[in-house]
Amino acid sequence: KNMKISNWHDTEDAFILSMTEDELLASWAELHAADLADEPSGDLLSAWLMFHNGHYADAAKAAQKLDAEGIPVLIRSVVAYTDYICEDEDECVDLLEQVYLLGEEACDSNAQCHFPTALAMGRYSQSISITKALAKGLGGKVKGLLSAVLEAQPEHAEAHLAMEMYHAEIIDQVGATLGSLTYGAKPKIAYQHIEQALELVPNAINLIEAGNAVILLKGDKGMNDATAYYERAAEVTPLDALQKMDVDFAASQLEE
């Protein structure tokens, strides 16, 4: 099952790099410190190189030819595209739904699909509204995938951040009492995941997500803390094209 990627907008307005495969491999451990992805080779390495250089449509097309092995690159490419490049909300929702469904199919044969699938499912949930996503049963699926990731890889910083967003989004939507009783969502657990994630890897996207979660949990009272997280994110030295857009986004929010 292939996604329709030919109509993706050109990424000329995005940030493009020209890393080589050797350069990517040399920085792989640092680039993937937050998700602990295995070092790739062959066609998978080529797909990842396109992704890290900012060619998300090309990376997604290459990833689709790799079946389950390519799902993490495919999902990451879709998330990057829908986060920063695509301006058509309907297209974003459609792409995110397609890709998380593909991820679910691949999870049985490739454990490295678990986190990217949870990520895409979370972004899809945000795009249709958390309330609708909970009604569709996606909250439990996201929590289940993230729990499996953290059980296997306790130092998976991005999974910690995604888990705190799970708690924060639900508490924001249904309140602390109902969130705790129905979904096991608790502010204390959210803060613990923030602390663990940023202790492991304080990269730009993790700091941005920490700031977003604090706003969801505290409202206006969390603005100072959130601003501090965004300020730290804006000062991070980016390692690839996506991290550059993360840093630029954080800086742009501070200017508003």
Side-chain angles (χ1 to χ4, degrees):
K1 297 179 181 179
N2 283 342
M3 299 174 60
K4 294 180 180 178
I5 296 171
S6 59
N7 61 345
W8 282 22
H9 308 304
D10 198 335
T11 56
E12 283 183 0
D13 292 335
F15 190 76
I16 304 296
L17 290 178
S18 56
M19 267 192 293
T20 66
E21 289 188 353
D22 287 343
E23 288 170 335
L24 174 56
L25 289 174
S27 59
W28 183 266
E30 189 175 3
L31 266 169
H32 288 271
D35 66 7
L36 306 176
D38 292 341
E39 190 175 288
S41 61
D43 291 338
L44 183 59
L45 173 58
S46 298
W48 273 118
L49 182 64
M50 294 173 197
F51 169 82
H52 285 294
N53 278 331
H55 297 291
Y56 304 117
D58 290 340
K61 290 174 187 174
Q64 285 192 119
K65 299 175 182 177
L66 302 174
D67 298 321
E69 184 184 44
I71 289 291
V73 192
L74 176 60
I75 292 178
R76 292 283 188 175
S77 298
V78 169
V79 170
Y81 174 69
T82 54
D83 273 357
Y84 288 123
I85 298 167
C86 181
E87 297 179 350
D88 185 327
E89 289 186 16
D90 290 337
E91 181 186 3
C92 289
V93 171
D94 181 53
L95 286 170
L96 289 167
E97 182 176 31
Q98 286 187 66
V99 83
Y100 92 66
L101 290 171
L102 287 172
E104 280 190 303
E105 290 179 13
C107 279
D108 289 340
S109 60
N110 184 0
Q112 289 206 3
C113 292
H114 289 168
F115 177 74
T117 301
L119 175 64
M121 207 177 281
R123 288 290 198 272
Y124 172 76
S125 298
Q126 291 169 334
S127 68
I128 64 169
S129 88
I130 298 302
T131 304
K132 289 181 181 178
L134 291 174
K136 290 171 68 114
L138 293 180
K141 287 186 175 183
V142 169
K143 187 178 183 182
L145 287 166
L146 294 175
S147 296
V149 172
L150 288 171
E151 184 175 346
Q153 298 175 304
E155 295 190 344
H156 195 300
E158 283 197 350
H160 281 293
L161 257 297
M163 189 66 94
E164 58 85 1
M165 284 302 292
Y166 165 84
H167 287 269
E169 294 270 19
I170 289 176
I171 291 166
D172 177 62
Q173 288 297 316
V174 304
T177 301
L178 185 60
S180 176
L181 290 173
T182 308
Y183 302 102
K186 299 178 181 179
K188 181 179 179 180
I189 296 176
Y191 289 121
Q192 287 173 347
H193 283 296
I194 290 174
E195 184 177 338
Q196 287 174 284
L198 297 184
E199 187 176 321
L200 289 165
V201 185
N203 63 12
I205 189 60
N206 285 355
L207 288 160
I208 289 168
E209 293 285 32
N212 293 342
V214 169
I215 293 295
L216 291 172
L217 292 166
K218 292 186 176 180
D220 290 342
K221 293 180 180 178
M223 191 61 70
N224 287 341
D225 289 342
T227 298
Y229 283 130
Y230 267 72
E231 287 173 345
R232 288 174 62 188
E235 294 173 358
V236 171
T237 300
L239 300 175
D240 71 352
L242 179 57
Q243 289 190 15
K244 170 64 175 171
M245 289 195 288
D246 291 335
V247 170
D248 287 352
F249 171 77
S252 72
Q253 297 304 294
L254 293 170
E255 294 170 1
E256 294 184 0

